[in-house]
Amino acid sequence: MKKETKKILIIIVILIISMIAFNRLSILLVRKGNGYGSDVLNFYKQPRDTIDMIVLGSSHAYTSLNPYLIESKTNLKTYDFCTQQQPLWITYYYLKEALKYQHPKYIVLEAHMAVVGNNDYAEEQVNRDAIDKMKFSTNKIDVIKNSVENKDDRVSYYLNIIKYHSRYKELNKIDIKTAFLGYTVDNKGYIALEETGYIFNNESEFTDNESELYKKNKEYLYKIINLTKKENIDLIIVKTPTSYNYEEMSRLNHIKRIAEENDILFLDYINNMTDLNLDYNKDFYDVGHLNKNGSIKFTNKFIENLE
Amino acid sequence: MIFNSVQFFIFLIVTFITYYIIKDKYRNIVLLIASYYFYCSSNPKNLIVLLLVTIISYISGLLVDKNDSKKKKKIIVAITTILLVGTLLYFKYSYFIIQNINIVLSKNFSIENIVVPLGISFFTLQAISYPIDIYRGDVKVEKNILKYSLFISFFPQILSGPIGKSKEMLPQFNQKHPFNRKNISNGIMIVIYGLFKKIVIADLMAIGINNVYGNLSEFKGIPLLIAVIMYSLQIYFDFSSYSNIAYGCAKIFGYELNKNFNLPYFASSVKEFWSRWHMSLSTWFRDYLYFPLGGNRCKKYKCYLNILIVFLVSGLWHGAAWTYIVWGGIHALYQILERMFNLKFNNKILNIIKTFILVTFAWIFFRSNTINDAIYVITNMFNISFAGIKEQILSIGLDKYDLIVLFVSVISILVIEVLQYKKQIYNKFKNLQLIPKLIICIILIFITIIFGSYGPGFDNSQFIYLGY
């Protein structure tokens, strides 16, 4: 009997070691991203309940709002928890994921994807950037179900080694450091874009007209609003500088109304772009993104408006 | 549902748990339901054909057993054979027959699209042999239709064999199959070994081979030669891996399937190759076609004719295309020549190499889409230039990492098989304690996960023999 118990214990130990090895292997092989967007693994490393402000959204958010500047001027510990072109439904699950570890005073939602999104599903790369490195949980299962259209493809999100196993051919130091030394990109999710000489031409078609949001976007915008209300968190909706056509401006106006109806602070830096004192010849990376200089001006104004 | 799919493993686990938690007397019912579910998962309509074939051979078995007259028994066996061969011909060969009639008679007959039921070539052969076995007194009639249905539809073997012999399989359905840790652990180990061979070796080779055979005009010389040699290995690893998985699955439930491969590329002659390759099919053709034709107990030229008939039929059995018939004909020719002349070297290794070359040459017809493609391969594969050899090798569509993985994996399997050949190493694996077995399985799983060819965008996961 003793011998049998010992055998069972050894088997359990072998299985546990195998599971740990499988987990490390998955992290080793997973694509580490292209440097744009926050490193989800770094977010998990933040000490629990230490972040006061979490910024959610797409690249418009993580290139514009500088968490270091916010923290130095307001003492509010801030984190840009965003990925590129992140659709609103993923943002909702990011919010849920963030609330498992942090209880911030403020959630800042950058509204670009609510304005421009007009599909039920995003491209695979967008999903991969956002979902691949999330910890396995029911929240991850939910985000996969709602983001990946083809059911057969979902299994490679649940077990991302199915997608990335052949990356053994291209492993580099970062992969090894991430898997075995706990390395993560420690930038609070903020990406400072270099000056490119891009000259911004503000061609926004300003209007007072309102237009409905795409159905799935509206559904998840309300989910975000309701969740922050339920958790007693102040939601702030922000629109960073860019150029919108008539339809997009109309949708932005609709978001503004939703914000008003729900007592949400709405900071619209398209209709109020002049307040930012941006130099159109120097402060933009491209039409939708501020560069480092632009983001400093933007973040300063944001702090001012917040106060 | 194919063996190397997530769905199959969920199915296998559910069936395994259900099988062992219920009483022994109901276990055959569990296996029968599971087998029909497995079979229907690809196309439920196929079940009608399977049931039809099962009922025809079951009734035939009863009638052969019941009748005392040898003549009547013979008639029943003949009618059954005609009905079952007719079923196979209708589903698998109608299009091919019409196509050839049109060519010969310059007509334009058409036929509606017939979906070939999966595994029909395999379970029909099993059904044909059953009444014959009763007639010959090799097996007792099985009156329990559930057990008989399970014999025809047993899920590990229904799609691609091994083709079960009634005298070996039917008695097993009457035996008890208690939970046996050793059998189960051995079964799991064999399944994982099969998956390794399929996913790491066969499917990786398939990428290069499919690329070359799919774009033949772009290749000459070394890449063609590599694809030709690689196909010999691919088809072995692909089909033997299927047999491993089938064997392992059956073992998990306490059943022993017959062996399908015995180191075929270690054969010293083509005749020996056929006693080691797809053994369940070779045995079937020997017992139910070659021997009834007279086998080798007849005049020399009649014996050659028998060999020719058996291998032409075997070629046709593999597929409704002239390429398969030519492939069968080449193998017949090899064996006739081996009988006519002493083609053996004094050195065993040279004989093994010679046999491998001959078999590999024949595989060109087996793999090519048309006879013209095969001729293109044969006439161009020796058009060798060593300039830019590295680029030529990589042009088949596999990178240097893939080639290293293939080289190491194939050599590893070769070492294991040589050890099996000389020292029966499989028995040592089977007798290992549970913990070493577990460690071997985990290592194989990890290797397969990392180096295997699977996942989004990969489309070579079908087993080659599922098409036959």
Side-chain angles (χ1 to χ4, degrees), chain A residues 280-305:
Chain A
Y280 287 3
N281 295 330
K282 286 184 177 175
D283 292 339
F284 280 84
Y285 178 83
D286 60 23
V287 68
H289 302 95
L290 296 170
N291 62 26
K292 192 177 172 183
N293 292 332
S295 81
I296 291 169
K297 288 182 186 174
F298 176 83
T299 306
N300 278 325
K301 191 69 192 174
F302 172 79
I303 294 165
E304 196 184 312
N305 289 147

PDB file of all heavy atoms in Angstrom, chain A residues 280-305:
ATOM      1  N   TYR A 280       1.139  71.274 -35.680  1.00  0.00           N
ATOM      2  CA  TYR A 280       0.742  70.260 -36.666  1.00  0.00           C
ATOM      3  C   TYR A 280       1.938  69.763 -37.497  1.00  0.00           C
ATOM      4  O   TYR A 280       1.889  68.720 -38.114  1.00  0.00           O
ATOM      5  CB  TYR A 280      -0.338  70.812 -37.608  1.00  0.00           C
ATOM      6  CG  TYR A 280      -1.706  70.952 -36.953  1.00  0.00           C
ATOM      7  CD1 TYR A 280      -1.898  70.653 -35.599  1.00  0.00           C
ATOM      8  CD2 TYR A 280      -2.806  71.367 -37.693  1.00  0.00           C
ATOM      9  CE1 TYR A 280      -3.150  70.798 -35.009  1.00  0.00           C
ATOM     10  CE2 TYR A 280      -4.057  71.504 -37.108  1.00  0.00           C
ATOM     11  CZ  TYR A 280      -4.217  71.216 -35.758  1.00  0.00           C
ATOM     12  OH  TYR A 280      -5.448  71.343 -35.187  1.00  0.00           O
ATOM     13  N   ASN A 281       2.993  70.543 -37.523  1.00  0.00           N
ATOM     14  CA  ASN A 281       4.170  70.137 -38.307  1.00  0.00           C
ATOM     15  C   ASN A 281       5.129  69.267 -37.497  1.00  0.00           C
ATOM     16  O   ASN A 281       6.031  68.652 -38.064  1.00  0.00           O
ATOM     17  CB  ASN A 281       4.931  71.355 -38.807  1.00  0.00           C
ATOM     18  CG  ASN A 281       4.105  72.149 -39.781  1.00  0.00           C
ATOM     19  OD1 ASN A 281       3.274  71.591 -40.492  1.00  0.00           O
ATOM     20  ND2 ASN A 281       4.304  73.457 -39.797  1.00  0.00           N
ATOM     21  N   LYS A 282       4.969  69.239 -36.184  1.00  0.00           N
ATOM     22  CA  LYS A 282       5.969  68.554 -35.358  1.00  0.00           C
ATOM     23  C   LYS A 282       5.411  67.524 -34.377  1.00  0.00           C
ATOM     24  O   LYS A 282       6.155  66.664 -33.908  1.00  0.00           O
ATOM     25  CB  LYS A 282       6.751  69.591 -34.535  1.00  0.00           C
ATOM     26  CG  LYS A 282       7.743  70.384 -35.335  1.00  0.00           C
ATOM     27  CD  LYS A 282       8.521  71.298 -34.410  1.00  0.00           C
ATOM     28  CE  LYS A 282       9.591  72.065 -35.181  1.00  0.00           C
ATOM     29  NZ  LYS A 282      10.263  73.045 -34.315  1.00  0.00           N
ATOM     30  N   ASP A 283       4.141  67.623 -34.032  1.00  0.00           N
ATOM     31  CA  ASP A 283       3.636  66.831 -32.898  1.00  0.00           C
ATOM     32  C   ASP A 283       2.897  65.552 -33.281  1.00  0.00           C
ATOM     33  O   ASP A 283       2.442  64.816 -32.405  1.00  0.00           O
ATOM     34  CB  ASP A 283       2.716  67.702 -32.028  1.00  0.00           C
ATOM     35  CG  ASP A 283       3.497  68.800 -31.333  1.00  0.00           C
ATOM     36  OD1 ASP A 283       4.731  68.638 -31.201  1.00  0.00           O
ATOM     37  OD2 ASP A 283       2.897  69.807 -30.939  1.00  0.00           O
ATOM     38  N   PHE A 284       2.754  65.317 -34.563  1.00  0.00           N
ATOM     39  CA  PHE A 284       2.035  64.104 -34.993  1.00  0.00           C
ATOM     40  C   PHE A 284       2.989  63.067 -35.594  1.00  0.00           C
ATOM     41  O   PHE A 284       3.944  63.417 -36.278  1.00  0.00           O
ATOM     42  CB  PHE A 284       0.959  64.445 -36.029  1.00  0.00           C
ATOM     43  CG  PHE A 284      -0.299  64.977 -35.421  1.00  0.00           C
ATOM     44  CD1 PHE A 284      -0.412  66.332 -35.107  1.00  0.00           C
ATOM     45  CD2 PHE A 284      -1.364  64.140 -35.159  1.00  0.00           C
ATOM     46  CE1 PHE A 284      -1.578  66.834 -34.532  1.00  0.00           C
ATOM     47  CE2 PHE A 284      -2.534  64.632 -34.583  1.00  0.00           C
ATOM     48  CZ  PHE A 284      -2.644  65.987 -34.265  1.00  0.00           C
ATOM     49  N   TYR A 285       2.689  61.802 -35.305  1.00  0.00           N
ATOM     50  CA  TYR A 285       3.428  60.685 -35.926  1.00  0.00           C
ATOM     51  C   TYR A 285       2.773  60.344 -37.270  1.00  0.00           C
ATOM     52  O   TYR A 285       3.420  60.089 -38.259  1.00  0.00           O
ATOM     53  CB  TYR A 285       3.376  59.486 -34.982  1.00  0.00           C
ATOM     54  CG  TYR A 285       4.037  58.242 -35.491  1.00  0.00           C
ATOM     55  CD1 TYR A 285       5.409  58.065 -35.352  1.00  0.00           C
ATOM     56  CD2 TYR A 285       3.305  57.226 -36.084  1.00  0.00           C
ATOM     57  CE1 TYR A 285       6.021  56.908 -35.819  1.00  0.00           C
ATOM     58  CE2 TYR A 285       3.897  56.073 -36.552  1.00  0.00           C
ATOM     59  CZ  TYR A 285       5.265  55.920 -36.411  1.00  0.00           C
ATOM     60  OH  TYR A 285       5.874  54.782 -36.868  1.00  0.00           O
ATOM     61  N   ASP A 286       1.431  60.311 -37.237  1.00  0.00           N
ATOM     62  CA  ASP A 286       0.627  60.159 -38.454  1.00  0.00           C
ATOM     63  C   ASP A 286      -0.744  60.739 -38.151  1.00  0.00           C
ATOM     64  O   ASP A 286      -0.927  61.375 -37.109  1.00  0.00           O
ATOM     65  CB  ASP A 286       0.576  58.689 -38.926  1.00  0.00           C
ATOM     66  CG  ASP A 286      -0.020  57.747 -37.892  1.00  0.00           C
ATOM     67  OD1 ASP A 286      -0.774  58.224 -37.019  1.00  0.00           O
ATOM     68  OD2 ASP A 286       0.274  56.539 -37.943  1.00  0.00           O
ATOM     69  N   VAL A 287      -1.716  60.439 -39.007  1.00  0.00           N
ATOM     70  CA  VAL A 287      -3.013  61.116 -38.836  1.00  0.00           C
ATOM     71  C   VAL A 287      -3.706  60.774 -37.509  1.00  0.00           C
ATOM     72  O   VAL A 287      -4.439  61.591 -36.962  1.00  0.00           O
ATOM     73  CB  VAL A 287      -3.942  60.829 -40.054  1.00  0.00           C
ATOM     74  CG1 VAL A 287      -4.346  59.353 -40.075  1.00  0.00           C
ATOM     75  CG2 VAL A 287      -5.182  61.700 -40.034  1.00  0.00           C
ATOM     76  N   GLY A 288      -3.445  59.596 -36.976  1.00  0.00           N
ATOM     77  CA  GLY A 288      -4.165  59.199 -35.764  1.00  0.00           C
ATOM     78  C   GLY A 288      -3.332  59.186 -34.507  1.00  0.00           C
ATOM     79  O   GLY A 288      -3.867  58.949 -33.417  1.00  0.00           O
ATOM     80  N   HIS A 289      -2.026  59.417 -34.639  1.00  0.00           N
ATOM     81  CA  HIS A 289      -1.171  59.233 -33.470  1.00  0.00           C
ATOM     82  C   HIS A 289      -0.277  60.431 -33.217  1.00  0.00           C
ATOM     83  O   HIS A 289       0.360  60.943 -34.146  1.00  0.00           O
ATOM     84  CB  HIS A 289      -0.290  57.995 -33.666  1.00  0.00           C
ATOM     85  CG  HIS A 289      -1.079  56.756 -33.907  1.00  0.00           C
ATOM     86  ND1 HIS A 289      -1.353  56.287 -35.170  1.00  0.00           N
ATOM     87  CD2 HIS A 289      -1.682  55.908 -33.046  1.00  0.00           C
ATOM     88  CE1 HIS A 289      -2.075  55.169 -35.071  1.00  0.00           C
ATOM     89  NE2 HIS A 289      -2.296  54.930 -33.795  1.00  0.00           N
ATOM     90  N   LEU A 290      -0.225  60.827 -31.958  1.00  0.00           N
ATOM     91  CA  LEU A 290       0.700  61.882 -31.555  1.00  0.00           C
ATOM     92  C   LEU A 290       2.074  61.264 -31.345  1.00  0.00           C
ATOM     93  O   LEU A 290       2.183  60.111 -30.947  1.00  0.00           O
ATOM     94  CB  LEU A 290       0.225  62.509 -30.236  1.00  0.00           C
ATOM     95  CG  LEU A 290      -1.117  63.228 -30.277  1.00  0.00           C
ATOM     96  CD1 LEU A 290      -1.569  63.566 -28.858  1.00  0.00           C
ATOM     97  CD2 LEU A 290      -1.029  64.489 -31.129  1.00  0.00           C
ATOM     98  N   ASN A 291       3.109  62.064 -31.614  1.00  0.00           N
ATOM     99  CA  ASN A 291       4.436  61.569 -31.256  1.00  0.00           C
ATOM    100  C   ASN A 291       4.740  61.966 -29.803  1.00  0.00           C
ATOM    101  O   ASN A 291       3.864  62.459 -29.093  1.00  0.00           O
ATOM    102  CB  ASN A 291       5.499  62.047 -32.256  1.00  0.00           C
ATOM    103  CG  ASN A 291       5.612  63.555 -32.276  1.00  0.00           C
ATOM    104  OD1 ASN A 291       5.290  64.223 -31.276  1.00  0.00           O
ATOM    105  ND2 ASN A 291       6.039  64.105 -33.394  1.00  0.00           N
ATOM    106  N   LYS A 292       5.970  61.717 -29.404  1.00  0.00           N
ATOM    107  CA  LYS A 292       6.329  61.940 -28.000  1.00  0.00           C
ATOM    108  C   LYS A 292       6.025  63.376 -27.556  1.00  0.00           C
ATOM    109  O   LYS A 292       5.412  63.601 -26.497  1.00  0.00           O
ATOM    110  CB  LYS A 292       7.817  61.622 -27.818  1.00  0.00           C
ATOM    111  CG  LYS A 292       8.256  61.536 -26.394  1.00  0.00           C
ATOM    112  CD  LYS A 292       9.723  61.152 -26.364  1.00  0.00           C
ATOM    113  CE  LYS A 292      10.275  61.239 -24.954  1.00  0.00           C
ATOM    114  NZ  LYS A 292      11.714  60.938 -24.942  1.00  0.00           N
ATOM    115  N   ASN A 293       6.432  64.361 -28.380  1.00  0.00           N
ATOM    116  CA  ASN A 293       6.176  65.773 -28.028  1.00  0.00           C
ATOM    117  C   ASN A 293       4.683  66.023 -27.918  1.00  0.00           C
ATOM    118  O   ASN A 293       4.212  66.676 -26.975  1.00  0.00           O
ATOM    119  CB  ASN A 293       6.734  66.709 -29.114  1.00  0.00           C
ATOM    120  CG  ASN A 293       8.245  66.676 -29.139  1.00  0.00           C
ATOM    121  OD1 ASN A 293       8.881  66.408 -28.116  1.00  0.00           O
ATOM    122  ND2 ASN A 293       8.815  66.921 -30.318  1.00  0.00           N
ATOM    123  N   GLY A 294       3.948  65.508 -28.902  1.00  0.00           N
ATOM    124  CA  GLY A 294       2.499  65.716 -28.911  1.00  0.00           C
ATOM    125  C   GLY A 294       1.853  65.094 -27.693  1.00  0.00           C
ATOM    126  O   GLY A 294       0.935  65.676 -27.088  1.00  0.00           O
ATOM    127  N   SER A 295       2.344  63.915 -27.328  1.00  0.00           N
ATOM    128  CA  SER A 295       1.707  63.222 -26.198  1.00  0.00           C
ATOM    129  C   SER A 295       1.965  63.970 -24.887  1.00  0.00           C
ATOM    130  O   SER A 295       1.123  63.959 -23.993  1.00  0.00           O
ATOM    131  CB  SER A 295       2.204  61.777 -26.111  1.00  0.00           C
ATOM    132  OG  SER A 295       3.447  61.697 -25.480  1.00  0.00           O
ATOM    133  N   ILE A 296       3.120  64.648 -24.797  1.00  0.00           N
ATOM    134  CA  ILE A 296       3.388  65.429 -23.569  1.00  0.00           C
ATOM    135  C   ILE A 296       2.397  66.594 -23.476  1.00  0.00           C
ATOM    136  O   ILE A 296       1.777  66.819 -22.434  1.00  0.00           O
ATOM    137  CB  ILE A 296       4.858  65.918 -23.560  1.00  0.00           C
ATOM    138  CG1 ILE A 296       5.793  64.714 -23.366  1.00  0.00           C
ATOM    139  CG2 ILE A 296       5.094  66.960 -22.460  1.00  0.00           C
ATOM    140  CD1 ILE A 296       7.261  65.011 -23.590  1.00  0.00           C
ATOM    141  N   LYS A 297       2.214  67.279 -24.588  1.00  0.00           N
ATOM    142  CA  LYS A 297       1.250  68.394 -24.602  1.00  0.00           C
ATOM    143  C   LYS A 297      -0.147  67.884 -24.274  1.00  0.00           C
ATOM    144  O   LYS A 297      -0.879  68.469 -23.493  1.00  0.00           O
ATOM    145  CB  LYS A 297       1.242  69.067 -25.977  1.00  0.00           C
ATOM    146  CG  LYS A 297       2.481  69.885 -26.275  1.00  0.00           C
ATOM    147  CD  LYS A 297       2.352  70.545 -27.635  1.00  0.00           C
ATOM    148  CE  LYS A 297       3.672  71.249 -28.006  1.00  0.00           C
ATOM    149  NZ  LYS A 297       3.641  71.786 -29.382  1.00  0.00           N
ATOM    150  N   PHE A 298      -0.455  66.730 -24.910  1.00  0.00           N
ATOM    151  CA  PHE A 298      -1.793  66.163 -24.714  1.00  0.00           C
ATOM    152  C   PHE A 298      -1.996  65.754 -23.244  1.00  0.00           C
ATOM    153  O   PHE A 298      -3.020  66.080 -22.631  1.00  0.00           O
ATOM    154  CB  PHE A 298      -1.983  64.944 -25.625  1.00  0.00           C
ATOM    155  CG  PHE A 298      -3.286  64.237 -25.414  1.00  0.00           C
ATOM    156  CD1 PHE A 298      -4.441  64.680 -26.036  1.00  0.00           C
ATOM    157  CD2 PHE A 298      -3.379  63.139 -24.560  1.00  0.00           C
ATOM    158  CE1 PHE A 298      -5.648  64.047 -25.827  1.00  0.00           C
ATOM    159  CE2 PHE A 298      -4.587  62.496 -24.344  1.00  0.00           C
ATOM    160  CZ  PHE A 298      -5.728  62.952 -24.984  1.00  0.00           C
ATOM    161  N   THR A 299      -1.008  65.060 -22.692  1.00  0.00           N
ATOM    162  CA  THR A 299      -1.154  64.562 -21.319  1.00  0.00           C
ATOM    163  C   THR A 299      -1.261  65.740 -20.339  1.00  0.00           C
ATOM    164  O   THR A 299      -2.062  65.715 -19.396  1.00  0.00           O
ATOM    165  CB  THR A 299       0.040  63.652 -20.953  1.00  0.00           C
ATOM    166  OG1 THR A 299       0.149  62.647 -21.943  1.00  0.00           O
ATOM    167  CG2 THR A 299      -0.160  63.011 -19.591  1.00  0.00           C
ATOM    168  N   ASN A 300      -0.488  66.789 -20.583  1.00  0.00           N
ATOM    169  CA  ASN A 300      -0.575  67.969 -19.705  1.00  0.00           C
ATOM    170  C   ASN A 300      -1.980  68.561 -19.719  1.00  0.00           C
ATOM    171  O   ASN A 300      -2.522  68.910 -18.669  1.00  0.00           O
ATOM    172  CB  ASN A 300       0.441  69.025 -20.147  1.00  0.00           C
ATOM    173  CG  ASN A 300       1.831  68.712 -19.600  1.00  0.00           C
ATOM    174  OD1 ASN A 300       1.970  68.201 -18.477  1.00  0.00           O
ATOM    175  ND2 ASN A 300       2.868  68.981 -20.392  1.00  0.00           N
ATOM    176  N   LYS A 301      -2.539  68.651 -20.919  1.00  0.00           N
ATOM    177  CA  LYS A 301      -3.899  69.210 -21.020  1.00  0.00           C
ATOM    178  C   LYS A 301      -4.901  68.277 -20.337  1.00  0.00           C
ATOM    179  O   LYS A 301      -5.830  68.735 -19.653  1.00  0.00           O
ATOM    180  CB  LYS A 301      -4.268  69.400 -22.503  1.00  0.00           C
ATOM    181  CG  LYS A 301      -5.527  70.197 -22.717  1.00  0.00           C
ATOM    182  CD  LYS A 301      -5.310  71.634 -22.319  1.00  0.00           C
ATOM    183  CE  LYS A 301      -6.606  72.413 -22.242  1.00  0.00           C
ATOM    184  NZ  LYS A 301      -6.352  73.780 -21.706  1.00  0.00           N
ATOM    185  N   PHE A 302      -4.697  66.983 -20.534  1.00  0.00           N
ATOM    186  CA  PHE A 302      -5.585  65.985 -19.922  1.00  0.00           C
ATOM    187  C   PHE A 302      -5.570  66.149 -18.395  1.00  0.00           C
ATOM    188  O   PHE A 302      -6.623  66.153 -17.741  1.00  0.00           O
ATOM    189  CB  PHE A 302      -5.123  64.575 -20.332  1.00  0.00           C
ATOM    190  CG  PHE A 302      -5.828  63.462 -19.618  1.00  0.00           C
ATOM    191  CD1 PHE A 302      -7.094  63.052 -20.000  1.00  0.00           C
ATOM    192  CD2 PHE A 302      -5.225  62.818 -18.534  1.00  0.00           C
ATOM    193  CE1 PHE A 302      -7.742  62.017 -19.323  1.00  0.00           C
ATOM    194  CE2 PHE A 302      -5.865  61.782 -17.855  1.00  0.00           C
ATOM    195  CZ  PHE A 302      -7.135  61.380 -18.257  1.00  0.00           C
ATOM    196  N   ILE A 303      -4.367  66.311 -17.839  1.00  0.00           N
ATOM    197  CA  ILE A 303      -4.234  66.472 -16.378  1.00  0.00           C
ATOM    198  C   ILE A 303      -4.972  67.752 -15.936  1.00  0.00           C
ATOM    199  O   ILE A 303      -5.709  67.738 -14.950  1.00  0.00           O
ATOM    200  CB  ILE A 303      -2.737  66.536 -15.984  1.00  0.00           C
ATOM    201  CG1 ILE A 303      -2.064  65.192 -16.264  1.00  0.00           C
ATOM    202  CG2 ILE A 303      -2.566  66.929 -14.513  1.00  0.00           C
ATOM    203  CD1 ILE A 303      -0.531  65.237 -16.255  1.00  0.00           C
ATOM    204  N   GLU A 304      -4.789  68.777 -16.722  1.00  0.00           N
ATOM    205  CA  GLU A 304      -5.440  70.060 -16.406  1.00  0.00           C
ATOM    206  C   GLU A 304      -6.955  69.889 -16.390  1.00  0.00           C
ATOM    207  O   GLU A 304      -7.645  70.327 -15.471  1.00  0.00           O
ATOM    208  CB  GLU A 304      -5.017  71.064 -17.489  1.00  0.00           C
ATOM    209  CG  GLU A 304      -5.251  72.521 -17.152  1.00  0.00           C
ATOM    210  CD  GLU A 304      -4.866  73.384 -18.369  1.00  0.00           C
ATOM    211  OE1 GLU A 304      -3.766  73.167 -18.930  1.00  0.00           O
ATOM    212  OE2 GLU A 304      -5.714  74.209 -18.763  1.00  0.00           O
ATOM    213  N   ASN A 305      -7.469  69.207 -17.417  1.00  0.00           N
ATOM    214  CA  ASN A 305      -8.918  68.987 -17.507  1.00  0.00           C
ATOM    215  C   ASN A 305      -9.429  68.066 -16.396  1.00  0.00           C
ATOM    216  O   ASN A 305     -10.560  68.216 -15.917  1.00  0.00           O
ATOM    217  CB  ASN A 305      -9.284  68.385 -18.853  1.00  0.00           C
ATOM    218  CG  ASN A 305      -9.140  69.372 -19.990  1.00  0.00           C
ATOM    219  OD1 ASN A 305      -8.801  69.026 -21.098  1.00  0.00           O
ATOM    220  ND2 ASN A 305      -9.374  70.659 -19.704  1.00  0.00           N
TER     221      ASN A 305
END
